[in-house]
Amino acid sequence: MTIDAKQLYFILDNTPYEQNIMLVGKHGIGKSRILEDYYAGKNCKVVTLFLGQMSDPGDLIGLPEKNMETGKTDFMLPYWFPTDNSPIVLFLDELNRARPEVLQTIMDLTLNRKLAGKSLPAGSRIISAVNNGSEYQLTDLDPALVSRFNIYEFAPSVQDWIKWAKSSGIDSRIISFISENPDYLDSFDSSMEHENLERSPDRRSWERTSNVIKKFPELTDELKPLVSGIIGNKATALFFRFIIENNIPSGSQIVLNWNDEILSKLKNLTLPVLTQVNESVFKYLESCTNDLQDSVENIKTNLNSYFSFITGYAKELQSHFISLCSANFYPKTLSFIIENDFSLYQEIINSIKK
């Protein structure tokens, strides 16, 4: 049975700490990110060890040293080992890429919670992640090691990702594209299985794409080679065509160049896409407020026009815009509105009261 992020949270909440958990899934689906976000909310530290990068057991257990009092060999604590007796979540990533001699060290760790004779703090949890599929170069795991884990096939849903993407500032154009083309969130073309250098999109690569295109209000052809190196040619072509065909105005266009053509485009968009346009407006103002002082009057006019549009379009869209007016989300944008367009701010406050 495949589990999504919500089901994983339930499993983490209800599995005793002394039971180990193994997550099986493809690369780039956000396993480590999801765990870090989940345990951050519980004030618990996640220590991630990439076992596939370790050349020998010393990378895991630390280097040997002579104990001058006993004359015996001790091991210096590795950098990650907790010294304050606070429980941790030890995330063993790429478990089935580890060298056999490293896996032997893992055996004692997963069974006895000990590493070179030193015990993990009480309450610590061990979670591992493995890749499965013929496209990976993997190490066969000993059945005795596998038996020490509760095993779950993990595939976070598209909605899990969209929720995360909205809260993490992923470019709204990418969120709109994935909402309409969910198969392209994690796309692996089996026909290219042996072409190791052929790119296909995954969650990690979409985040990298977002970081690249954020500063470009419009996606021009000169950006295609740059993006194709991140998500592949096929996904790039479909993504650019989607943006052009849907005529989604950017935040900068709305703020700086509001006109009847932009208004006409907005009227043809669906409510989910328009909520992402709302966020695009706030993200643009948040990142550029220091550079917009010469255009304050123009921005005031355009913001009021845009707010009038969304107010007349749907109450849900207006409510979404208002919810973004929070110092917790976009403090610079909120300050800009209060300082430069107090009448709009008053209108927002009145809408909240109503």
Side-chain angles (χ1 to χ4, degrees):
M1 179 179 179
T2 301
I3 62 170
D4 59 19
K6 183 178 180 180
Q7 291 166 321
L8 174 60
Y9 296 155
F10 180 83
I11 289 168
L12 295 175
D13 283 337
N14 292 281
T15 301
Y17 277 99
E18 63 271 14
Q19 296 186 20
N20 307 318
I21 293 173
M22 179 184 292
L23 303 178
V24 182
K26 291 188 175 295
H27 68 280
I29 60 174
K31 296 184 287 290
S32 58
R33 178 69 67 86
I34 287 173
L35 289 174
E36 288 170 0
D37 290 346
Y38 171 81
Y39 281 107
K42 297 182 176 296
N43 295 317
C44 186
K45 182 180 180 181
V46 177
V47 176
T48 301
L49 301 179
F50 296 98
L51 301 186
Q53 299 175 12
M54 295 184 175
S55 59
D56 62 61
D59 293 337
L60 180 63
I61 65 177
L63 298 176
E65 64 175 350
K66 183 179 179 179
N67 187 315
M68 302 307 293
E69 294 182 3
T70 65
K72 297 181 180 180
T73 298
D74 286 338
F75 285 87
M76 292 185 289
L77 288 175
Y79 73 93
W80 58 267
F81 201 92
T83 57
D84 59 357
N85 211 33
S86 297
I88 63 168
V89 175
L90 187 59
F91 181 47
L92 306 176
D93 204 1
E94 302 178 340
L95 182 67
N96 58 343
R97 290 174 180 252
R99 298 168 67 92
E101 53 269 31
V102 173
L103 290 175
Q104 290 302 315
T105 305
I106 297 297
M107 295 282 280
D108 187 37
L109 179 62
T110 54
L111 181 62
N112 300 312
R113 291 294 195 278
K114 289 185 176 180
L115 197 62
K118 300 177 178 67
S119 298
L120 290 175
S124 294
R125 182 189 288 287
I126 297 176
I127 302 175
S128 71
V130 301
N131 300 128
N132 66 332
S134 57
E135 67 270 28
Y136 303 108
Q137 296 179 353
L138 305 174
T139 303
D140 291 333
L141 296 178
D142 190 311
L145 176 60
V146 173
S147 69
R148 297 173 187 183
F149 289 90
N150 302 343
I151 302 175
Y152 303 96
E153 185 171 350
F154 181 51
S157 69
V158 174
Q159 288 306 314
D160 288 336
W161 184 85
I162 290 175
K163 181 180 179 181
W164 169 83
K166 288 181 177 180
S167 65
S168 301
I170 298 299
D171 191 280
S172 61
R173 293 166 293 187
I174 291 177
I175 298 175
S176 298
F177 173 75
I178 296 300
S179 298
E180 297 293 327
N181 301 274
D183 290 344
Y184 276 82
L185 179 57
D186 303 295
S187 176
F188 175 72
D189 187 351
S190 60
S191 66
M192 301 303 297
E193 184 172 331
H194 302 294
E195 300 292 337
N196 292 334
L197 296 181
E198 176 67 18
R199 285 295 303 150
S200 60
D202 56 36
R203 298 167 195 233
R204 191 180 298 148
S205 63
W206 282 117
E207 183 177 4
R208 293 204 302 268
T209 301
S210 174
N211 292 335
V212 166
I213 68 173
K214 274 183 178 179
K215 63 180 180 181
F216 296 99
E218 295 192 27
L219 300 183
T220 59
D221 285 344
E222 66 178 355
L223 284 172
K224 284 185 179 179
L226 175 60
V227 174
S228 66
I230 307 174
I231 58 174
N233 296 330
K234 185 177 180 181
T236 298
L238 187 62
F239 174 55
F240 274 70
R241 186 165 69 247
F242 172 85
I243 299 302
I244 293 172
E245 290 177 353
N246 282 273
N247 289 318
I248 302 175
S250 66
S252 63
Q253 289 176 316
I254 291 171
V255 168
L256 299 177
N257 302 302
W258 178 271
N259 55 38
D260 290 340
E261 182 181 355
I262 291 176
L263 177 61
S264 178
K265 291 178 180 179
L266 292 173
K267 289 179 178 178
N268 293 323
L269 299 179
T270 63
L271 182 60
V273 174
L274 283 169
T275 61
Q276 290 155 29
V277 173
N278 271 353
E279 295 191 29
S280 178
V281 169
F282 275 80
K283 288 174 185 175
Y284 177 75
L285 287 173
E286 188 72 13
S287 62
C288 299
T289 49
N290 294 335
D291 303 321
L292 298 176
Q293 294 307 312
D294 294 337
S295 307
V296 169
E297 291 303 317
N298 182 45
I299 293 171
K300 285 174 56 177
T301 301
N302 294 340
L303 267 181
N304 278 275
S305 296
Y306 178 67
F307 188 74
S308 295
F309 159 72
I310 63 175
T311 299
Y313 183 95
K315 287 295 182 183
E316 297 90 339
L317 189 59
Q318 183 197 49
S319 298
H320 178 259
F321 184 96
I322 292 172
S323 71
L324 297 176
C325 294
S326 167
N328 294 327
F329 298 133
Y330 301 102
K332 292 181 181 179
T333 302
L334 179 59
S335 296
F336 180 88
I337 292 175
I338 293 173
E339 293 171 8
N340 299 293
D341 196 353
F342 195 73
S343 61
L344 175 59
Y345 181 69
Q346 284 294 110
E347 192 172 348
I348 291 171
I349 296 299
N350 292 334
S351 297
I352 294 174
K353 290 179 180 179
K354 292 178 182 179

